[in-house]
């Protein structure tokens, strides 16, 4: 399946009962009611708002830059390079971005990424206004945009476990997913297109403004969002930190050391590639085979956004009723069979209904698996594991798209039948495995014990310090 797909990790005891206290977070200060039902708090509200602003900037850029490309060239190959360069950084920079995120204040990582993207937006505004825009300028800007997207995306995913309790993560990720879906599908695209028709400079200026707002909000996040407490606790227990250039394989070692995590990673990658096979020629299938007017393609795609938003609102409820394991196992199979249905019943209504189901099922998967990953990977490793995970998962999707395009040359229904069928087969064969995945609050990643040990060490140091000890003077 597409998107982030996660699983348990080496140091966790899968299925064991653990404390639901927030790992070094402000959430631990709240009291009353179950953790899952507690208010997510002002820190999450800040994070959510910052991500909304950043998502709006992403949506404006992804809409405006292809429109600008059409103004400077009519070469289909050159225009297709925009989409390729937007995804290419994930293949080469996701792991280095993860190392950076784990080594510095994650608030600073978010702010730095969006500061650079603010400057890129300003540069694009100036280049366009001066009449010097070329496709090569767009290539450079979209590629650098993508590089810093890997930094921002990894950082924002790593902040949530620092400010929330594990049981709150599904609800928090549901809200984040819903916000991104609404902003990128119902706000940024249509509004950017309308403003673009008035003046190309209006959306470009707005792009710089919303990224700047996201920078300010990132800086205003509380200290606990930095994630530095995890690295500090680990360093106090194990000595000095490892040099950055020795950390490139940390994420890979962490994943491969646990059979359950490794299985889920490869299953996720295979399923994601299968879905990419199926959807590679989706637009041609809709327009050429099913007769959808080209002008209505964007409207049709909103059906997927509706499915994703609806699923984001109920994912946490599904998890509460059936558990993470059973919910994601069913979602995996349902999404795959819905893909097959698109090809097996070649009508617009069938495609629309199935697309709602596919998008909704994938969204449920993404929310719950992301929440599980955030709770079971030690805080100090979140960036590196996230980067490693996406390098393989997202790196395989272009391969699936090429395979799907070749299959589509034979018949446009075949990619849906083959891609969806293979994904469904994998989902059925590994259904029992997926069903055993635990809830986020039921897995111990060792952070609570490490932080408690660091606090005990600090307390003992304070007790034995003399009256002129610098620690006391601070």
């Amino acid at each position: 399946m597409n998107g982030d797909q996660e699983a348990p990790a080496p140091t966790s005891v899968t299925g064991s009962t653990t404390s639901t206290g927030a790992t070094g977070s402000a959430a631990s200060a709240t009291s009353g009611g179950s953790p899952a039902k507690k208010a997510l708090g002002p820190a999450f509200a800040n994070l959510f708002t910052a991500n909304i602003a950043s998502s709006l900037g992403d949506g404006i850029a992804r809409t405006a830059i292809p429109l600008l490309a059409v103004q400077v060239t009519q070469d289909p190959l050159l225009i297709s390079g925009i989409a390729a360069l937007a995804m290419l950084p994930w293949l080469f920079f996701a792991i280095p971005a993860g190392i950076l995120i784990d080594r510095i204040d994650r608030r600073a990582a978010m702010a730095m990424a969006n500061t650079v993207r603010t400057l890129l937006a300003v540069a694009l505004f100036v280049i366009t206004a001066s009449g010097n825009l070329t496709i090569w300028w767009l290539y450079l800007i979209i590629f650098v945009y993508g590089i810093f997207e890997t930094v921002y995306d990894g950082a924002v995913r790593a902040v949530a476990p620092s400010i929330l309790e594990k049981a709150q993560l599904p609800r928090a990720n549901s809200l984040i997913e819903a916000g991104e879906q609404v902003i990128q599908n119902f706000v940024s695209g249509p509004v950017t297109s309308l403003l673009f028709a008035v003046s190309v400079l209006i959306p470009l200026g707005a792009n710089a403004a919303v990224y700047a707002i996201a920078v300010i909000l990132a800086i205003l996040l509380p200290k606990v969002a930095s994630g530095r407490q995890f690295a500090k606790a680990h360093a106090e227990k194990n000595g000095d930190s490892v040099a950055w250039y020795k950390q490139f394989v940390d994420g890979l070692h962490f994943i491969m050391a646990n059979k359950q995590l490794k299985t889920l990673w490869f299953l996720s990658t295979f399923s994601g590639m299968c879905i990419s096979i199926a959807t590679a020629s989706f637009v041609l299938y809709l327009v050429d085979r099913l007769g959808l007017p080209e002008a209505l393609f964007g409207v049709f795609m909103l059906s997927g956004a509706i499915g994703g938003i609806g699923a984001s609102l109920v994912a946490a409820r599904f998890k509460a009723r059936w558990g993470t394991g059973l919910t994601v196992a069913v979602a995996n199979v349902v999404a795959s069979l819905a893909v097959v249905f698109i090809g097996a019943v070649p009508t617009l209504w069938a495609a629309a209904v199935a697309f709602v189901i596919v998008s909704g099922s994938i969204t449920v998967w993404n929310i719950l698996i992301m929440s599980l990953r955030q709770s079971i990977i030690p805080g100090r490793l979140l960036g590196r594991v996230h980067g490693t995970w996406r390098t393989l998962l997202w790196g395989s999707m272009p391969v699936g798209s090429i395979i799907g395009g070749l299959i589509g040359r034979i018949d446009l229904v075949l990619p849906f039948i083959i891609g969806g069928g293979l994904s469904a087969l994998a989902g059925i064969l590994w259904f029992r495995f997926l069903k055993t995945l635990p809830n986020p609050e039921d897995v111990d990643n060792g952070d609570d014990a490490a932080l408690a040990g660091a606090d005990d060490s600090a307390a003992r140091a304070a007790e034995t310090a003399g009256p002129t000890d610098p620690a006391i003077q601070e």
Side-chain angles (χ1 to χ4, degrees), residues 343-363:
V345 185
T347 63
L348 280 174
W349 71 264
V353 171
F355 195 42
V356 170
I357 296 172
V358 171
S359 298
S361 299
I362 289 176
T363 298

Side-chain angles (χ1 to χ4, degrees), residues 254-318:
F254 187 81
I255 294 171
M256 298 300 288
N258 181 275
K259 182 179 180 181
Q260 193 175 43
L261 181 60
K262 178 174 63 176
T263 301
L264 184 58
W265 190 34
F266 290 136
L267 175 61
S268 300
T269 300
F270 178 77
S271 296
M273 187 166 66
C274 288
I275 299 300
S276 295
I277 290 172
T279 57
S281 304
F282 198 20
V283 62
L284 289 177
Y285 178 70
L286 292 173
V287 174
D288 292 353
R289 177 62 64 88
L290 304 186
L292 178 72
E294 291 183 11
L296 295 179
F297 176 70
V299 177
F300 178 92
M301 295 303 290
L302 290 178
S303 62
I306 292 171
I309 292 169
S312 68
L313 298 177
V314 299
R317 296 181 184 180
F318 287 162

Side-chain angles (χ1 to χ4, degrees), residues 147-203:
I147 292 173
F148 285 90
E149 182 181 18
T150 66
V151 176
Y152 177 83
D153 187 82
V156 78
R157 295 302 191 275
V159 165
S162 299
I163 61 177
L164 296 171
E165 300 186 28
K166 292 177 182 177
Q168 294 175 307
L169 290 174
R171 185 155 56 99
N173 285 319
S174 294
L175 290 173
I176 289 174
E177 183 76 19
E180 290 180 352
Q181 292 272 359
V182 170
I183 289 296
Q184 295 190 4
N185 292 290
F186 291 97
V187 178
S188 61
V191 170
T192 301
S193 298
L194 291 173
L195 294 176
F196 200 89
V198 178
S199 170
V200 297
L201 298 179
I202 297 176

Side-chain angles (χ1 to χ4, degrees), residues 5 59 88 96 170 189 203 217 235 248 255 277 282 299 325 339 349 381 435 453 472:
Q5 308 190 25
L88 194 60
L217 291 171
F248 276 87
I255 294 171
I277 290 172
F282 198 20
V299 177
V339 169
W349 71 264
L381 287 172
K435 189 178 176 181
I472 294 179

